[in-house]
Amino acid sequence: MSGQEKILIVGPSWVGDMIMAQSLYKLLARRKPEAALHVLAPAWSKPVLELMPEVSCAIEQPIGHGKLNFSLRRELGYRLRSERYSQAIVLPRSFKSALVPYFASIPVRTGFRGEWRYGVLNDRRPFSAEVLDKTVKRFVVLGLDREETDLPEIDVPTLQVSEKSRLQTLARFDLEIGANNVAIMPGAEYGSAKRWPLSKFTDLAARLVGVGVAVRILGSASERALGNSIVASIDKSRVRNLCGETSLAEVADLLSAATVAVGNDSGLMHMAAAVQTHVVALFGSSSPSFTPPLTATKKVFYLKLDCSPCFQRQCPLGH
């Protein structure tokens, strides 16, 4: 409606982070129920944002992850001036991520201090890795007023998957409705150090199929080879490799229809948690203390090796 307050959130670039950012959107929606929340984010995130009722509008960020492209950011900022946002909240901690709100002349531009953001941000908040020891806390704290010192209770992400959409997706892939099934997510876009060994996923899938449980392997097109390796020696009537065949919205549908979802610390792990499916989460180079699945229905496995968490993309020690 005319005169409605609008807030622009510059969203993160990873699937898991985008899902965890919903905790911030929930906080803002609760505190400012009349405000419209617009999220500036990569094009791939639109299907995910459409499952978040707190978000009024998803705006495509046309610039690739890690690229500056100063002129394109300036052009986008100028184009957004007509929205007359009251505030921008910049979740990424880079200089370039704050440029669009600056060029959009948004009066209050909130984000963490760092990377020479003096000027482009005018509401700079202190950052403490010790206090903000979870990614979700780093998002939610930027929605607080400057004088607030204590984090409120954090609302966990909850993607709204409709029954109609779920049934349509199951039908599209000719999957049995109501079947006892486990979703296996063997990939992790960040790097191989986050991935449970493929032989372990294969053994798990074979055991599940052996006791009559259907297995659905989910992931991106780049992870299709992982899925093919898992299904190579398993009864094809009980296991499906759907890596690369689904949209993100369809993955949400399939995860919501799963009995259990098993995966590495990845975006799909966070998606499984957000559709309220029981999650079995496997952590390697990262830490369940930093990016845990935000759900009460979970089982987390973490070896707590002396070298972890190292947050390396590839393990230099061969673990």
Side-chain angles (χ1 to χ4, degrees):
M1 63 183 179
S2 178
Q4 181 182 26
E5 181 183 4
K6 298 177 184 177
I7 299 172
L8 178 70
I9 299 105
V10 180
S13 299
W14 298 92
V15 175
D17 286 355
M18 184 61 73
I19 291 170
M20 287 186 282
Q22 191 187 12
S23 294
L24 167 64
Y25 311 154
K26 284 175 173 280
L27 174 73
L28 294 172
R30 189 171 67 246
R31 291 189 168 199
K32 297 184 176 183
E34 300 304 318
L37 304 184
H38 294 191
V39 179
L40 177 64
W44 60 257
S45 66
K46 186 175 181 180
V48 177
L49 292 169
E50 288 175 345
L51 300 177
M52 299 179 182
E54 303 81 13
V55 176
S56 301
C57 177
I59 303 169
E60 182 179 343
Q61 166 64 278
I63 303 159
H65 178 56
K67 296 181 179 179
L68 174 59
N69 207 324
F70 186 88
S71 61
L72 196 55
R73 292 179 192 271
R74 180 177 56 195
E75 178 185 333
L76 177 58
Y78 286 167
R79 194 162 70 244
L80 292 178
R81 285 183 178 181
S82 61
E83 296 288 349
R84 299 186 180 278
Y85 294 108
S86 62
Q87 181 185 16
I89 299 176
V90 182
L91 299 186
R93 291 161 57 199
S94 63
F95 167 77
K96 58 184 175 292
S97 62
L99 287 174
V100 170
Y102 172 76
F103 287 123
S105 298
I106 299 174
V108 180
R109 304 184 297 278
T110 303
F112 289 119
R113 296 172 184 164
E115 203 178 282
W116 302 100
R117 303 213 286 183
Y118 182 84
V120 289
L121 294 180
N122 57 13
D123 178 23
R124 296 178 303 282
R125 306 292 180 88
F127 177 80
S128 168
E130 290 73 28
V131 174
L132 303 174
D133 57 348
K134 288 182 170 59
T135 296
V136 69
K137 291 182 180 180
R138 299 177 183 187
F139 295 156
V140 169
V141 74
L142 292 178
L144 304 182
D145 294 333
R146 285 190 63 88
E147 61 272 14
E148 291 184 81
T149 56
D150 297 325
L151 275 172
E153 183 177 348
I154 294 175
D155 292 317
V156 299
T158 51
L159 300 181
Q160 301 299 305
V161 175
S162 73
E163 180 68 7
K164 179 181 177 181
S165 177
R166 179 165 45 243
L167 292 176
Q168 287 176 339
T169 298
L170 291 170
R172 180 168 114 73
F173 294 104
D174 194 25
L175 297 171
E176 182 182 351
I177 297 172
N180 185 22
N181 74 93
V182 171
I184 287 182
M185 306 166 292
E189 187 177 348
Y190 183 79
S192 60
K194 270 193 172 187
R195 298 202 296 259
W196 200 38
L198 198 57
S199 61
K200 301 290 189 181
F201 277 117
T202 303
D203 182 57
L204 172 63
R207 288 171 181 244
L208 290 167
V209 168
V211 294
V213 177
V215 172
R216 299 164 185 172
I217 303 172
L218 303 176
S220 66
S222 64
E223 293 156 352
R224 185 156 184 82
L226 298 177
N228 285 338
S229 180
I230 292 172
V231 305
S233 59
I234 301 175
D235 179 2
K236 304 300 186 297
S237 67
R238 300 295 297 171
V239 61
R240 287 282 301 277
N241 177 19
L242 297 170
C243 293
E245 296 184 16
T246 60
S247 66
L248 268 179
E250 289 171 332
V251 170
D253 289 333
L254 294 174
L255 286 173
S256 72
T259 311
V260 177
V262 182
N264 308 300
D265 176 19
S266 65
L268 295 195
M269 176 200 76
H270 290 288
M271 180 175 283
V275 296
Q276 295 86 58
T277 293
H278 185 88
V279 173
V280 176
L282 304 152
F283 282 77
S285 63
S286 57
S287 167
S289 297
F290 185 53
T291 52
L294 299 175
T295 176
T297 56
K298 63 187 173 188
K299 176 68 176 178
V300 174
F301 290 92
Y302 182 50
L303 291 178
K304 298 182 181 179
L305 300 178
D306 290 342
C307 58
S308 64
C310 65
F311 298 104
Q312 296 286 335
R313 292 178 183 267
Q314 286 82 37
C315 176
L317 303 177
H319 291 159

